[in-house]
Amino acid sequence: MSMKKMVAIVLIGSLSVGMMGCMDKGNEKKQEKIREEKRVEPPKDPLGKYDETVTISTALPENAGIQWVDGDNYDDNPWYRAYEERLNIKVVNDWVSNDYTTKLNLTIADGDLPDVFFVQEQQFQQLIEADLIWELGDIFENYASETVKGYMEMEPGMFEAAKRDGKLYGIPQLSCGIVDQPTQIWVRQDWADEIGLREINTMEDFEKLAKTFREKHGGYAITENQDLECMKNLAIAWGAHPGIWVEGEDGNLEYGSIQPQMKEVLMKYSEWYEEGLINPEFAITDMEKMFQQIINGEVGICPYAQWFGYNPGPDIISNLGDKACFDAYKIPSANGETVKTSIKYSNYGYIVVSKECKNPEAALKLLNFFAYMSDDAQGKESTEFIDSLFNHAYTNIPYALRVINPMTDYNQFEKVTSYLEKYQNGEEVDSSELGKDAIKYEHCVEWLEKKTPEAVGDWMQQGSPKSAYRISKEIIDNDEIIKDAYWGQHVETLLNSGSTLDDILTEGFTKIIVGEEPIEYFDTLVENWEAAGGEAATKEVNELCK
């Protein structure tokens, strides 16, 4: 049996019955697939224009966040028009689906691939094994712009993860950077002002804050949900790193969720549960319900991610008023040691090129154009043109045609805060100079002037004196991070059983916290995890990463 047929069988077999609900945009009138049959010599200039029109097909997910204007749509929009005008590359959509992963699995199984498309790790590996995508090493070297090459140099580990036996098969899309990853302790501002809170320097300070909030406002003090997300965020205070792979005392890699330090975390959490400091119903509370309890004013402390200001931020303000805005505080140490933030593998996925594509270099030119418009166009292009590409969530359109500067959000924070400082000092500010970052600055000003609920997310993330990014920048600048050692290609056991293994631990942790099991049960839980596949996964991770 051919590898291509084997991939098709595996993919079709893995699809759920739920795929029957998958819908494609324009099912009633399907566009006939356009395949570029002619090879056209690419210009050497990374942003050079082809002498003849090159047609490149792609696929993308339907995105409800895009706010279409002036008759734009997925097939005709500023990005696609710019590709043709600037590069002489005509981009066409094979399909747009509201279930991209399922649709792509079917497409791979059929062997009818778009020219350029976006894949996750498992699909990437399958395509390589089936010999369905181009090896891009020479193409990248010869046609990627210096800007795109610079992105890869910033994240060499992720770039290497796109290689097999030294050969490059995809371009990592990367992410907006590790500045988005550190978590913070979010504290309700008006409650903090009542007691004169300035900083949270130790875990004892945090515990005292929680007890004070409970005494003054009743109920419990600290949010939690059934996935123990808040506990996992706080675990770094004890030197534990749940959810990532770290080097153990013997030099081998071990899963952070079973580190000995997790015992200390669980002991403290079981104390807090018994004292009524955390949500007594956390085991049956999902994220939506957890957020609703904050919106209702029931709780004032939430250890969570930097995007807290976007959800549930606006609803908090709408329901409780602007004084109930939350401030971000750095997670303090529980043992006097420097707290290291866990940094996970932060690549969204890979951009790949079908072997049926006659002009694979065009894919790199499209990525070059996105990078140019993102980082190099300010002062070279009109504000109107830049805005036409980046406003209205239009950056979701080039789904498989973009590679992201991993310093994007870090750089944005520096620019936005410098302009806010000028504004607050009474200096004249021209926000158009910020280009695509202007909207963040403008929302911060809108919060300061009008307290608009919809503007609070950017304020809490970037503008506030106690913003999330302020903490994240400090952590990054001081190198207070530990990167996940399991970086890139997935091992078989985790690919097939990773979520099940995590579920075993979450269930066991919950039993310890609520008192159904003593802290000594942690050792039994680790044994159960190892027997269920954790031991095999650990061996595979060490073989891959060491």
Side-chain angles (χ1 to χ4, degrees):
M1 182 183 294
S2 72
M3 179 61 72
K4 186 172 179 179
K5 288 182 179 178
M6 288 176 65
V7 171
I9 290 171
V10 170
L11 282 168
I12 291 173
S14 68
L15 296 175
S16 67
V17 176
M19 59 165 270
M20 299 303 293
C22 171
M23 304 213 24
D24 302 333
K25 197 77 172 175
N27 266 345
E28 300 85 357
K29 186 178 181 181
K30 282 189 175 289
Q31 177 180 337
E32 184 179 349
K33 182 178 178 70
I34 299 174
R35 175 69 69 189
E36 180 65 57
E37 299 293 347
K38 184 179 179 181
R39 167 74 180 166
V40 180
E41 188 64 26
K44 289 295 183 182
D45 181 350
L47 293 170
K49 190 173 185 178
Y50 281 90
D51 291 334
E52 299 180 51
T53 301
V54 168
T55 301
I56 291 292
S57 61
T58 190
L60 59 156
E62 190 171 356
N63 190 306
I66 300 174
Q67 302 148 27
W68 300 112
V69 295
D70 301 328
D72 289 341
N73 55 53
Y74 289 107
D75 299 312
D76 183 10
N77 55 71
W79 282 103
Y80 283 24
R81 292 192 290 269
Y83 298 147
E84 194 161 4
E85 293 165 6
R86 297 295 186 94
L87 305 173
N88 208 6
I89 299 175
K90 181 176 178 59
V91 175
V92 297
N93 299 317
D94 276 4
W95 47 264
V96 179
S97 174
N98 66 3
D99 188 349
Y100 181 87
T101 300
T102 299
K103 176 65 177 176
L104 182 59
N105 282 339
L106 286 170
T107 301
I108 295 172
D110 289 342
D112 189 21
L113 302 175
D115 290 321
V116 185
F117 54 107
F118 172 86
V119 295
Q120 298 290 353
E121 183 66 39
Q122 185 174 16
Q123 296 164 328
F124 184 52
Q125 186 63 31
Q126 291 166 335
L127 289 164
I128 294 170
E129 292 174 358
D131 195 26
L132 293 176
I133 54 178
W134 277 99
E135 194 276 306
L136 299 172
D138 288 342
I139 295 171
F140 180 85
E141 183 60 34
N142 293 328
Y143 295 99
S145 67
E146 291 304 312
T147 300
V148 170
K149 288 178 179 178
Y151 295 169
M152 300 305 151
E153 290 170 1
M154 292 181 207
E155 295 290 353
M158 293 184 201
F159 192 52
E160 288 300 312
K163 297 179 181 179
R164 300 293 184 272
D165 298 322
K167 295 181 178 180
L168 182 70
Y169 286 96
I171 309 300
Q173 196 171 69
L174 306 180
S175 72
C176 293
I178 61 174
V179 72
D180 292 310
Q181 291 207 38
T183 52
Q184 297 82 30
I185 297 171
W186 291 98
V187 179
R188 183 166 160 174
Q189 192 180 89
D190 52 354
W191 291 6
D193 288 344
E194 285 176 2
I195 61 172
L197 179 68
R198 293 295 175 262
E199 287 297 336
I200 303 173
N201 295 311
T202 65
M203 191 49 65
E204 287 79 10
D205 290 344
F206 175 78
E207 192 169 348
K208 181 180 178 181
L209 174 68
K211 290 177 178 179
T212 302
F213 276 9
R214 186 193 58 187
E215 291 167 4
K216 283 184 168 290
H217 302 284
Y220 60 97
I222 308 167
T223 59
E224 191 53 272
N225 62 31
Q226 59 199 11
D227 296 323
L228 294 175
E229 216 161 339
C230 298
M231 184 199 76
K232 292 171 186 176
N233 291 334
L234 286 177
I236 59 174
W238 287 267
H241 297 276
I244 70 170
W245 290 80
V246 297
E247 187 173 306
E249 292 183 2
D250 61 359
N252 291 316
L253 301 183
E254 63 183 17
Y255 194 42
S257 297
I258 63 165
Q259 286 178 279
Q261 294 91 327
M262 281 300 298
K263 269 189 175 181
E264 300 175 54
V265 180
L266 291 167
M267 286 175 62
K268 179 55 69 174
Y269 244 70
S270 62
E271 287 178 21
W272 288 350
Y273 179 82
E274 189 174 352
E275 293 175 14
L277 293 182
I278 64 172
N279 178 8
E281 298 183 345
F282 76 88
I284 55 171
T285 300
D286 60 16
M287 186 187 298
E288 183 178 355
K289 186 176 180 182
M290 183 182 84
F291 285 164
Q292 191 58 52
Q293 291 164 345
I294 301 169
I295 295 165
N296 293 344
E298 299 172 32
V299 59
I301 302 174
C302 182
Y304 214 72
Q306 50 83 19
W307 51 264
F308 180 83
Y310 299 96
N311 181 26
D315 288 332
I316 295 173
I317 304 306
S318 295
N319 196 48
L320 302 175
D322 63 274
K323 300 298 183 184
C325 182
F326 276 60
D327 286 332
Y329 293 81
K330 189 176 182 180
I331 295 173
S333 175
N335 53 22
E337 298 179 6
T338 299
V339 176
K340 298 277 190 175
T341 292
S342 302
I343 299 296
K344 294 185 177 182
Y345 181 66
S346 56
N347 176 36
Y348 293 142
Y350 301 94
I351 301 144
V352 297
V353 183
S354 166
K355 273 203 167 179
E356 297 296 319
C357 178
K358 302 296 182 184
N359 294 283
E361 300 86 357
L364 267 299
K365 290 192 170 292
L366 293 167
L367 299 183
N368 293 342
F369 181 75
F370 186 89
Y372 164 74
M373 291 307 307
S374 296
D375 283 350
D376 302 329
Q378 191 67 35
K380 300 176 183 177
E381 305 285 347
S382 71
T383 300
E384 292 75 19
F385 182 56
I386 296 173
D387 287 349
S388 74
L389 298 176
F390 290 98
N391 286 353
H392 314 296
Y394 272 21
T395 44
N396 291 310
I397 299 169
Y399 183 70
L401 310 175
R402 60 187 180 183
V403 61
I404 299 167
N405 182 346
M407 291 296 288
T408 292
D409 284 349
Y410 184 99
N411 294 338
Q412 179 189 77
F413 172 63
E414 288 193 323
K415 288 191 288 184
V416 169
T417 52
S418 69
Y419 272 64
L420 269 177
E421 186 178 345
K422 292 178 183 178
Y423 165 81
Q424 290 175 309
N425 287 337
E427 299 177 38
E428 188 173 337
V429 176
D430 180 3
S431 62
S432 67
E433 295 173 353
L434 284 165
K436 61 185 177 62
D437 297 324
I439 190 67
K440 295 281 187 178
Y441 164 81
E442 290 165 0
H443 278 166
C444 289
V445 172
E446 185 176 347
W447 172 258
L448 285 169
E449 294 182 346
K450 301 178 181 178
K451 297 297 188 290
T452 307
E454 289 71 27
V456 75
D458 289 330
W459 173 253
M460 289 171 63
Q461 184 195 63
Q462 302 199 26
S464 167
K466 290 187 178 296
S467 69
Y469 276 7
R470 173 190 60 86
I471 294 171
S472 297
K473 183 179 185 300
E474 176 186 327
I475 289 169
I476 294 166
D477 290 348
N478 294 334
D479 196 29
E480 297 170 352
I481 62 174
I482 288 183
K483 284 190 174 183
D484 193 343
Y486 175 44
W487 205 256
Q489 185 179 352
H490 286 223
V491 299
E492 184 177 354
T493 300
L494 291 180
L495 201 57
N496 297 326
S497 307
S499 59
T500 301
L501 290 171
D502 280 335
D503 289 343
I504 290 172
L505 295 176
T506 300
E507 182 180 352
F509 291 165
T510 300
K511 288 180 179 179
I512 292 172
I513 292 169
V514 302
E516 288 184 21
E517 297 285 358
I519 191 62
E520 291 76 18
Y521 178 69
F522 179 82
D523 299 321
T524 302
L525 182 60
V526 171
E527 292 174 1
N528 294 341
W529 179 85
E530 289 174 339
E535 185 176 10
T538 301
K539 182 180 178 181
E540 292 169 5
V541 169
N542 275 276
E543 288 174 350
L544 175 69
C545 300
K546 294 199 71 180

